[in-house]
């Protein structure tokens, strides 16, 4: 896990806050300073103007007496010189007579000259007869000298250097800037320290979150205090705790699922791996659990005395508890079957052993049948299981029931007294079918109607002829189709005990009886009649496209059917008829055995598949010839192939394509 | 109905010819394709067979794939089968022939394999 997804430049909050504080301080102090300076300047100007006026009127008073004396210069010059010497800021101090001739000036050389006021003076204010004018350099008071009779005797010009009060203002400004610098230093340090302290919890929070991110969900962030960070830390801690719980749950769930799978594997290993075939009898079973593990179990076995046996049990309760009881049932069955007199004794003994170990309310229905292959007599007993079906060779269906209470229903006295054995001889072609509840109670997706015993017996009757493998496969598919997309609610288990028919010299293999299959195809199959030419074989594609069996297959499955039929027909055209004109061949698809089967009938030259070896594709010689593996293709594409050359009707080729991997495996095992 | 075979030819630089096959590759069509492929071999060119449009392949078509592989190899050349259609793929896999012939996903991949050889 990456430590932190943030790789860009970091802007530390403490610096951001400090800089903002500084900027704000500068703005505030500068504005305050500017206002203060303006006020200072105005106050200073007022003050100086007043001083100018006062001094000017004073000089005018002195000037009036002086101008009346014979030599005004003698009085005025020393006064003005003293003023200039003592107060250099008075840049202009002149007294003139009414003609503008200078009579008083600090500079003696200018006495007697005509006074020219600075040209850039602009009048500014006028009060008490004294006017104030200003120039960029000077602030000047102009006071008239008026005699007692009101006549004008002269004028006083008194000017103050502006630089003087600029100096005063600058002094104020300097102290302000100093104060500002001080404020800034204090503000910066203060805000830096304060934010550093406030943001201290971010470090531990980030470290904590990174640890959680790396998967350490036991991490807790310890932040005390009542700031928002405290609440954030509490939220982070709550999140880590929730994640930890969720993770533990997920691990536990995984572990349970894994254990359920192990349990399923163990339970599957208790089921017989292969069918039992002996002396014309076949014992087989099939199971589909509703959950990972099943509450059903079945077994087929050979007894030490030569008899064969089959057992099927349904524990009240499915899933893991049911599965555990089934393993007890299987173990007891294996341990006791050779030590008991017969099925009823076996059931009773199992009940005695099992009852004390079952939880209250748990019980087991169990059907057991022993078959003596020498006599063909089947002896059976049932502990509360529903009746078995016996499909006779002629198509008649019998219900085989026997009395008995389920195992574990009578803890004090046991169920022995309620059990009774029954016997029936199996004739050639007879098939016994026994199921668990899940089969006939399987509800249809569309109508909700259960599959029912009638459909079980009808299915058993129609597939009985084809042998146990096809029968079990057909039943499995029929139940599945009945259920549709609805969920499987209960475990489904079927066992079969079949006695092979007299006509079958090759076990219960329906492909061993070509004429029966051909009759079946002609009766209810879908036919395609073709002229025996290679061009005509294209029509196989269109014909196949209309078959439900073909349409249901996936793409690979359809290709297998296409290529196998084409190769077989092409072989008949090229070799069987060897190009003879006017011949035909026929292909049928017939439902019934598994996914249905195909029959090809032709009257050409017979050929046999058995004496042809599968070509070795790695052999350069075979590759060189290129052709010659059409038959290899057919063998690999079809799950069953039987060629019957030269029958009464001609050459009959039978082939079928397995619906699933499972069928192929059982066929190989068988 | 795709009852005819169509084969188009394109010569590429680097002494490579591409044959694009469409339709049913049954016994008769295989003879036709074999003739076209042998013409390419006779010119000393390498071959790419594009099988994208093949709607059906029989044993003779599959056998031809093996024969061509062998014959081009004998002439120090090479043949690549590209863009196998689902029917071709199904049959080739059924016979477990994938290791025996040169198969590529596209014409470009086939060209690359021939150029690298």
């Amino acid at each position: 896990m990456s430590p932190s997804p943030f790789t860009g430049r970091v802007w530390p909050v403490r610096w951001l806050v400090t800089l903002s504080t500084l900027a704000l301080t500068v703005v505030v102090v500068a504005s305050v300073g500017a206002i203060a300076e303006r006020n200072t300047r105005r106050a200073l100007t007022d003050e100086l103007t007043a001083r100018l006026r006062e001094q000017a009127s004073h000089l005018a008073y002195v000037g009036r007496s002086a101008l009346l004396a014979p030599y005004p210069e003698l009085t005025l010059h020393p006064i003005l010189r003293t003023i200039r010497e003592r107060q250099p800021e008075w840049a202009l101090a002149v007294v003139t007579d009414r003609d503008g001739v200078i009579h008083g000036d600090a500079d003696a050389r200018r006495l007697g000259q005509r006074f020219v006021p600075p040209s850039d003076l602009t009048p500014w204010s006028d009060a008490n007869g004294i006017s104030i004018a200003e120039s960029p350099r000077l602030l000047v008071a102009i006071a008239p000298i008026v005699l007692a009779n009101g006549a004008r005797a002269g004028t006083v010009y008194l000017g103050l250097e502006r630089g003087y009060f600029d100096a005063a203002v600058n002094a104020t400004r300097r102290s302000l800037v100093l104060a500002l610098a001080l404020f800034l230093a204090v503000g910066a340090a203060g805000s830096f320290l304060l934010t550093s302290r406030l943001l201290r919890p971010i470090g531990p929070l980030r470290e904590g979150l990174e640890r959680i991110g790396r998967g350490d969900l036991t991490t807790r962030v310890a932040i005390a205090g009542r700031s928002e960070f405290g609440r954030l830390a509490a939220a982070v801690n709550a999140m880590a705790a929730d994640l930890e719980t969720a993770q533990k749950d997920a691990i536990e769930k995984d572990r349970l699922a894994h254990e359920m799978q192990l349990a399923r594997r163990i339970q599957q290993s208790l089921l017989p791996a292969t069918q039992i075939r002996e002396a014309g009898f076949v014992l087989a079973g099939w199971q589909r659990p509703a959950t990972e593990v099943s509450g059903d179990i079945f077994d087929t076995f050979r007894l030490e005395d030569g008899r064969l046996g089959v057992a099927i049990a349904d524990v009240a309760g499915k899933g893991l508890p049911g599965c555990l009881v089934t393993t007890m049932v299987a173990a007891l069955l294996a341990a006791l079957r050779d030590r008991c007199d017969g099925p009823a004794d076996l059931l009773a003994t199992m009940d005695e052993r099992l009852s004390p170990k079952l939880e209250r309310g748990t019980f087991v229905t169990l059907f057991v049948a022993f078959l003596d292959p020498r006599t063909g007599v089947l002896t059976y007993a049932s502990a509360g299981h529903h009746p078995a079906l016996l499909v006779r060779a002629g198509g008649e269906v019998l219900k085989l029931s026997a009395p008995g209470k389920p195992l574990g229903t009578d803890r004090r006295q046991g169920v022995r007294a309620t059990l009774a054995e029954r016997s029936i001889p199996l004739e050639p072609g007879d098939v016994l079918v026994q199921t668990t509840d899940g089969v006939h109670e399987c509800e249809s997706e569309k109508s909700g109607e259960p599959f029912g015993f009638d459909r079980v017996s009808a299915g058993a009757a129609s597939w009985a002829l084809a042998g146990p493998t096809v029968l079990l496969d057909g039943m499995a598919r029929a139940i599945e189709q009945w259920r549709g997309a609805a969920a499987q609610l209960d475990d489904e288990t079927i066992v079969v005990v079949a006695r092979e028919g007299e006509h079958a010299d090759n076990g219960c293999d329906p492909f061993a009886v070509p004429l029966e299959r051909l009759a079946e195809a002609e009766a209810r199959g879908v036919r395609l009649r073709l002229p025996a030419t290679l061009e005509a074989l294209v029509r196989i594609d269109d014909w196949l496209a209309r078959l439900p069996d073909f349409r249901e297959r996936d793409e690979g499955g359809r290709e297998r059917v296409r290529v196998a039929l084409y190769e077989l027909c092409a072989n008949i055209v090229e070799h069987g008829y060897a190009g003879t004109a006017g011949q035909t061949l026929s292909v049928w698809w017939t439902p019934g055995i598994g996914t249905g089967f195909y029959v090809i009938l032709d009257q050409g030259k017979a050929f046999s598949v058995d004496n042809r070896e599968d070509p070795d594709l790695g052999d350069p010689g075979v590759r060189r010839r290129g052709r010659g593996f059409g038959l290899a293709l057919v063998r690999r594409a079809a799950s069953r192939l039987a060629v019957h050359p030269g029958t009464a009707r001609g050459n009959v080729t039978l082939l079928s394509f397995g619906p699933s991997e499972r069928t192929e495996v059982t066929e190989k095992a068988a | 109905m795709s009852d005819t075979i169509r084969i188009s030819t394109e010569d590429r630089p680097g002494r490579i010819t591409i044959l694009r096959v469409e339709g049913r590759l049954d016994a008769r069509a295989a003879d036709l394709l074999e003739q076209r492929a042998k013409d390419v071999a006779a010119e000393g060119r390498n071959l790419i067979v594009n099988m994208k449009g093949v709607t059906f392949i029989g044993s003779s078509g599959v056998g031809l794939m093996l024969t061509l592989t062998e014959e081009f190899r004998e002439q120090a050349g090479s043949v690549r089968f590209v863009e196998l259609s689902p029917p071709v793929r199904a049959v080739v896999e059924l016979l477990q022939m994938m290791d025996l012939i040169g198969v590529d996903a596209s014409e470009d991949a086939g060209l690359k394999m021939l150029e690298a050889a």
Side-chain angles (χ1 to χ4, degrees), chain A residues 538 562 566-567 623 627, chain B residues 1 24 26 31 55 59 70:
Chain A
V538 178
R562 275 179 88 193
Y566 175 85
E567 291 299 329
R623 290 210 302 275
R627 311 276 165 84
Chain B
M1 190 190 289
R24 283 177 66 93
D26 56 16
D31 290 343
T55 55
S59 62
E70 190 70 20

Side-chain angles (χ1 to χ4, degrees), chain A residues 142-172:
Chain A
I142 302 163
I145 301 171
V146 182
L147 297 178
N149 60 4
R152 177 100 175 234
T155 311
V156 172
Y157 295 90
L158 191 59
L160 190 64
E161 287 252 29
R162 267 181 186 275
Y164 170 71
F165 65 84
D166 280 345
V169 170
N170 283 343
T172 318

Side-chain angles (χ1 to χ4, degrees), chain A residues 213-396:
Chain A
R214 281 193 298 271
D216 178 6
L217 299 181
T218 56
T219 302
R220 295 293 179 271
V221 182
I223 293 176
R226 304 178 62 87
S227 76
E228 285 88 339
F229 288 113
R231 292 183 60 184
L232 186 57
V236 167
N237 289 343
M239 177 195 76
D242 289 351
L243 279 174
E244 200 181 353
T245 315
Q247 193 188 43
K248 274 184 188 153
D249 285 355
I251 290 172
E252 180 64 14
K253 222 170 167 181
D254 268 5
R255 199 180 60 81
L256 267 180
H258 180 64
E259 287 186 355
M260 283 296 267
Q261 272 194 336
L262 283 181
R264 176 175 168 76
R265 218 176 298 163
I266 291 168
Q267 193 183 30
Q268 288 291 105
S269 73
L270 293 175
L271 300 179
T274 56
Q275 303 176 350
I276 292 177
R277 282 174 179 270
E278 193 171 310
F281 292 92
V282 185
L283 290 79
W286 167 87
Q287 181 174 83
R288 177 159 52 206
T291 56
E292 287 282 337
V293 290
S294 172
D296 289 359
I297 194 153
F298 74 89
D299 200 4
T300 55
F301 45 87
R302 287 186 164 88
L303 294 173
E304 285 166 2
D305 61 11
R307 282 185 295 174
L308 306 173
V310 65
I312 180 168
D314 188 350
V315 177
K318 47 186 184 298
L320 203 51
C323 162
L324 290 174
V325 177
T326 64
T327 60
M328 283 199 274
V329 172
L332 278 175
L333 189 65
L336 297 174
R337 64 196 179 202
D338 280 310
R339 291 202 241 149
C340 294
D341 293 336
D345 184 34
L346 177 58
L347 291 180
T349 313
M350 284 177 70
D351 175 61
E352 283 152 17
R353 301 285 181 87
L354 198 60
S355 268
K357 296 192 173 62
L358 288 181
E359 271 190 51
R360 209 159 276 283
T362 303
F363 57 89
V364 183
T365 68
L366 180 55
F367 175 91
V368 175
F370 287 176
L371 173 77
D372 191 333
R374 288 153 295 204
T375 61
V377 172
L378 183 88
T379 307
Y380 60 93
S382 174
H385 214 84
H386 54 251
L389 299 173
L390 180 64
V391 184
R392 306 236 81 145
E396 182 194 4

